[in-house]
Amino acid sequence: MELNVRIGGSGRPLLLIHGYPQTGAMWHKLAPVLAENFTVVVPDLRGYGASNKPPTDPQHLPYSKRAMAADMAALMAGLGHKTFQVAGHDRGGRVTHRLCLDHPDAVERAAVLDIVPTHTLFNTATHAVAHAYYHWYFLAQAAPLPETLIGADPDFYLNRKFGGWSAGETGFFDPRAMAEYKAAYGRPETIHATCEDYRAAATIDLEHDAADLDRRVGCPFLVLWGREGPDACQL
């Protein structure tokens, strides 16, 4: 698997994992600050940005969080980091959760931002959460329905998503970051791969999570939500 990765700073290794529908560019304000004290590693997840977009299979295994977490573990090991700290936002938080479960000896400590575990969310979603996260159910529909609809006007789709998650405003997003996201979504293979991420979440990820319901993350683990986010309201 070839991943697009940004690396900077010095010190203990810190992996930052982005969410949907972004790339590693979403960390552009935090990464330089963190790089003052850490070696910061910022990849694009498989299927996103400039990273590879492997073919899928009927089980959506190539886009499972288990596969994505394995990518992250292999990346850090390849960079010489036997252990590391990790922070993940949104989809990246789900990858972080799986990374902690599947590769516990590698993760020193972890933080997840704006997530409830996938199994929990699907099984306890309220009306408010389902309304706010309609895309979970839309993107999980069989191909090529969401791919066709998003591909008809990907810029409109992205503007609507970011606006919906930011009180209707997109102007405070850095234009360079927005340009990177839109360039990625201008490619049909990115749209398809990111839909596969959500198809995996609704199928194989649930199986993996159900098998691990009795397991707990062993490392120090920080969980943060926005005060008015639907995840926080649910809890």
Side-chain angles (χ1 to χ4, degrees):
M1 173 58 56
E2 294 184 5
L3 300 174
N4 183 54
V5 184
R6 300 168 168 94
I7 303 173
S10 61
R12 296 167 63 192
L14 172 62
L15 174 66
L16 302 178
I17 312 178
H18 67 84
Y20 175 90
Q22 296 109 328
T23 69
M26 69 153 280
W27 299 103
H28 66 90
K29 290 186 178 180
L30 289 177
V33 177
L34 293 169
E36 295 176 5
N37 296 294
F38 299 94
T39 297
V40 178
V41 180
V42 188
D44 294 344
L45 288 167
R46 64 164 61 194
Y48 287 79
S51 289
N52 275 11
K53 297 156 183 66
T56 191
D57 67 17
Q59 289 185 290
H60 314 292
L61 274 168
Y63 290 91
S64 66
K65 303 312 157 294
R66 173 158 284 161
M68 292 182 175
D71 288 343
M72 299 296 102
L75 168 65
M76 297 303 280
L79 293 172
H81 306 309
K82 293 182 179 180
T83 62
F84 54 89
Q85 300 176 87
V86 56
H89 172 256
D90 184 62
R91 310 308 286 175
R94 301 177 195 286
V95 176
T96 298
H97 181 221
R98 179 48 56 186
L99 186 61
C100 291
L101 293 176
D102 287 0
H103 306 273
D105 293 338
V107 181
E108 296 175 5
R109 60 184 62 217
V112 293
L113 315 178
D114 290 320
I115 75 156
V116 168
T118 303
H119 187 276
T120 301
L121 191 142
F122 267 123
N123 284 282
T124 63
T126 63
H127 172 78
V129 170
H131 182 76
Y133 288 165
Y134 76 90
H135 61 288
W136 275 54
Y137 307 93
F138 168 60
L139 297 174
Q141 298 300 308
L145 176 61
E147 287 93 336
T148 301
L149 296 178
I150 295 170
D153 195 342
D155 282 2
F156 170 82
Y157 175 76
L158 289 181
N159 286 334
R160 187 64 178 261
K161 292 307 296 175
F162 285 116
W165 290 330
S166 55
E169 297 291 336
T170 60
F172 55 76
F173 290 101
D174 191 295
R176 295 167 295 178
M178 288 295 292
E180 182 169 314
Y181 307 151
K182 289 181 177 181
Y185 273 78
R187 299 190 292 271
E189 59 268 28
T190 303
I191 298 173
H192 175 63
T194 54
C195 289
E196 281 296 302
D197 177 4
Y198 280 82
R199 292 176 185 129
T203 54
I204 192 63
D205 287 344
L206 286 180
E207 294 181 25
H208 293 160
D209 286 353
D212 285 335
L213 283 180
D214 293 333
R215 295 182 60 197
R216 294 292 182 266
V217 172
C219 69
F221 197 73
L222 176 67
V223 181
L224 297 173
W225 293 276
R227 179 182 300 170
E228 298 181 8
D231 281 354
C233 293
Q234 179 175 330
L235 297 179

